[in-house]
Amino acid sequence: MKLSFALAAVAACTAGIAMAAPVAPADVEFSEYGDVATSLTGQPGDPANGVKIMANRGKGNCVACHAVSAMSDVPFHGEVGPTLDGVADRWNEAELRGLVANAKKTFEGTIMPAFYKNEGYIRPGNAYTGKAPTEALTPLLTAQEVEDVVAYLMTLKEQ
Amino acid sequence: FALATAAQATDPTEPLVVNGDLEIVTSTAAPAHMDMIDTIQSGWEFRSHETQDLQRDDFDNPGMIFVDDAREAWDTAEGSEGKSCASCHGAPEDMAGVKAVYPKWNEDAGEVRTMEMQINACRTENMGAEALGYTSGDMTNMVALMSAVSRGLPVNVAIDGPAQAMWEQGKELYYTRTGQLELSCATCHEDNYDNLIRADHLSQGQINGFPTYRLKNAKLNSVHARFKGCVRDTRAETFSPGSPEFVALELYVASRGNGLSVEGPSVRN
């Protein structure tokens, strides 16, 4: 047990930062304004995957609340939140990471769900089954998925 | 047939009048206990003109078929006492006004009762019949009949006196943000009504139109089944239909509609 742990640690060290484990949801460091300066994974985000997550009902489902002109091939954009057109002109990467990870740190009491959080809920369920969870909850998005969404948001520039 | 209805789609400002003579109040001043909203609106106002029109005439309203089924059940003796609802209550029309004040405190039972609970109390205590499933088709049909004979009358649920404690509990539930999405009834139906959430046009989540015939599942839907669906959509563990929590929530939500007309069975998407 101890030995394999030590070996894994050595492997992680030799591989350098690229192999580091993602920051756990509870360990994400938000500034007092709600932004998160460091990448959750140390890996660059993939905007092509990010846009898929934003459209997917079972993942980000961001278009449920936000209209995005660049995603006009996806049907039915909501109007609960502001349009995300030009969002990268208004927010930098750290701010966008904070907004996706937990928008409540930026906008107190916002309706927008926290996508990188896995505890502190009232009557959490097992996804959309309506039943109590049988195991520990995972965040709505993985660390890399958050980075992918942020990478896509960074492409939404008007200026 | 559907085409004909669509072609007749009426002026959106035209108020809801059923069968040419039954006027339905679909928007009115909010009751005094609501400080966040000035005007309360029935879910009918948020539906497409085509869907709205299905409620203007009972021949177009698919929910009325289930009301007819319930009329038959109303006259049918069941249980060890050999009685039907009609044996004690006469015609369904004699129950006009009852639905408008439910959920209601029942002094003898010492509890707040929904229409479903009262129907089951009559079945088990007065008829010697078995209780119906809380959201079963037979139950929802009977609730629809009780609603249909009260259509047009103002919802007027009592929130004071012995019902007050449960009303407070319901209010608390209405504002509690549940589930992994951390949403409350209020985040969608108070802060965001009239907004689109994906393809859905959010209403105020009123229950004056229940049971609702939904085009989506082509059947009558009960209040607690709807609550369950909405809570599930917050990625929460739901309460069960008929649970004290949902009874409390129903009392509170019903009271947010005090002043709207009883409208069920209504048509929704």
Side-chain angles (χ1 to χ4, degrees):
Chain A
M1 189 63 194
K2 253 189 186 139
L3 182 68
S4 61
F5 179 77
L7 283 175
V10 170
C13 286
T14 44
I17 194 143
M19 286 296 286
V23 179
D27 298 335
V28 179
E29 282 179 32
F30 292 87
S31 80
E32 63 174 303
Y33 304 107
D35 51 286
V36 176
T38 39
S39 163
L40 301 179
T41 59
Q43 302 282 340
D46 171 10
N49 192 44
V51 70
K52 281 189 207 143
I53 290 161
M54 288 184 57
N56 185 330
R57 278 166 205 274
K59 288 283 186 181
N61 198 18
C62 315
V63 293
C65 293
H66 296 282
V68 188
S69 300
M71 293 175 69
S72 55
D73 56 322
V74 178
F76 307 124
H77 298 200
E79 51 189 16
V80 168
T83 160
L84 297 181
D85 291 354
V87 78
D89 301 325
R90 298 192 288 279
W91 304 94
N92 64 32
E93 189 187 278
E95 289 164 338
L96 289 172
R97 184 178 293 114
L99 277 162
V100 179
N102 187 348
K104 289 168 178 80
K105 304 277 187 185
T106 304
F107 299 108
E108 202 192 329
T110 183
I111 183 179
M112 180 164 153
F115 289 91
Y116 200 62
K117 169 178 164 173
N118 62 349
E119 56 191 7
Y121 305 113
I122 298 169
R123 289 186 74 83
N126 178 5
Y128 291 105
T129 61
K131 302 204 169 69
T134 47
E135 32 191 282
L137 294 173
T138 52
L140 297 171
L141 298 179
T142 65
Q144 191 55 44
E145 286 169 339
V146 171
E147 294 302 326
D148 294 350
V149 168
V150 170
Y152 178 71
L153 293 175
M154 286 301 288
T155 70
L156 299 176
K157 293 198 165 110
E158 280 173 335
Q159 286 152 27
Chain B
F1 179 76
L3 269 177
T5 315
Q8 289 160 15
T10 41
D11 177 350
T13 59
E14 201 168 303
L16 176 55
V17 178
V18 178
N19 301 332
D21 60 8
L22 181 60
E23 288 175 23
I24 303 287
V25 174
T26 56
S27 111
T28 189
H33 70 79
M34 281 171 75
D35 35 22
M36 310 291 279
I37 291 181
D38 294 333
T39 305
I40 50 172
Q41 293 171 268
S42 161
W44 181 83
E45 298 206 338
F46 298 86
R47 306 285 52 100
S48 70
H49 302 162
E50 287 78 8
T51 306
Q52 288 183 335
D53 282 350
L54 293 174
Q55 247 181 271
R56 295 188 193 275
D57 191 309
D58 282 348
F59 284 110
D60 294 332
N61 182 340
M64 293 309 287
I65 296 162
F66 299 94
V67 168
D68 288 341
D69 288 350
R71 281 185 187 277
E72 222 167 275
W74 179 268
D75 288 327
T76 307
E78 260 190 89
S80 57
E81 307 304 304
K83 288 193 161 79
S84 69
C85 316
S87 319
C88 297
H89 294 293
E93 279 68 22
D94 294 343
M95 306 296 269
V98 172
K99 179 67 164 60
V101 298
Y102 268 72
K104 181 176 112 176
W105 174 259
N106 183 300
E107 192 60 48
D108 293 340
E111 65 184 7
V112 170
R113 280 188 174 168
T114 61
M115 182 56 75
E116 283 90 341
M117 289 163 75
Q118 179 59 48
I119 290 170
N120 266 343
C122 280
R123 288 182 59 90
T124 55
E125 291 159 26
N126 297 327
M127 297 166 71
E130 274 188 23
L132 298 172
Y134 199 89
T135 57
S136 64
D138 287 343
M139 174 59 90
T140 309
N141 294 354
M142 189 57 78
V143 176
L145 172 60
M146 293 295 93
S147 180
V149 298
S150 283
R151 277 187 301 172
L153 296 169
V155 175
N156 185 19
V157 170
I159 64 172
D160 51 2
Q164 191 178 342
M166 208 163 198
W167 182 82
E168 302 279 1
Q169 189 199 347
K171 181 175 182 180
E172 168 109 31
L173 287 165
Y174 193 87
Y175 287 99
T176 301
R177 298 183 65 160
T178 59
Q180 211 175 352
L181 299 183
E182 297 176 280
L183 301 172
S184 70
C185 316
T187 38
C188 285
H189 294 296
E190 181 167 288
D191 302 339
N192 280 292
Y193 68 88
D194 216 11
N195 280 333
L196 283 175
I197 187 161
R198 203 114 197 195
D200 291 314
H201 188 196
L202 282 169
S203 73
Q204 293 182 350
Q206 294 284 359
I207 54 174
N208 61 305
F210 276 77
T212 54
Y213 179 87
R214 293 187 67 189
L215 301 167
K216 187 176 168 180
N217 60 14
K219 63 168 189 151
L220 283 183
N221 295 264
S222 68
V223 168
H224 290 198
R226 180 86 233 197
F227 286 177
K228 194 175 163 189
C230 280
V231 176
R232 185 198 55 214
D233 287 351
T234 71
R235 294 177 74 119
E237 180 189 356
T238 66
F239 296 101
S240 306
S243 63
E245 290 86 358
F246 271 177
V247 174
L249 187 61
E250 177 173 348
L251 175 65
Y252 176 69
V253 176
S255 78
R256 291 174 68 96
N258 274 352
L260 294 173
S261 295
V262 175
E263 192 189 304
S266 65
V267 186
R268 302 288 188 259
N269 53 344

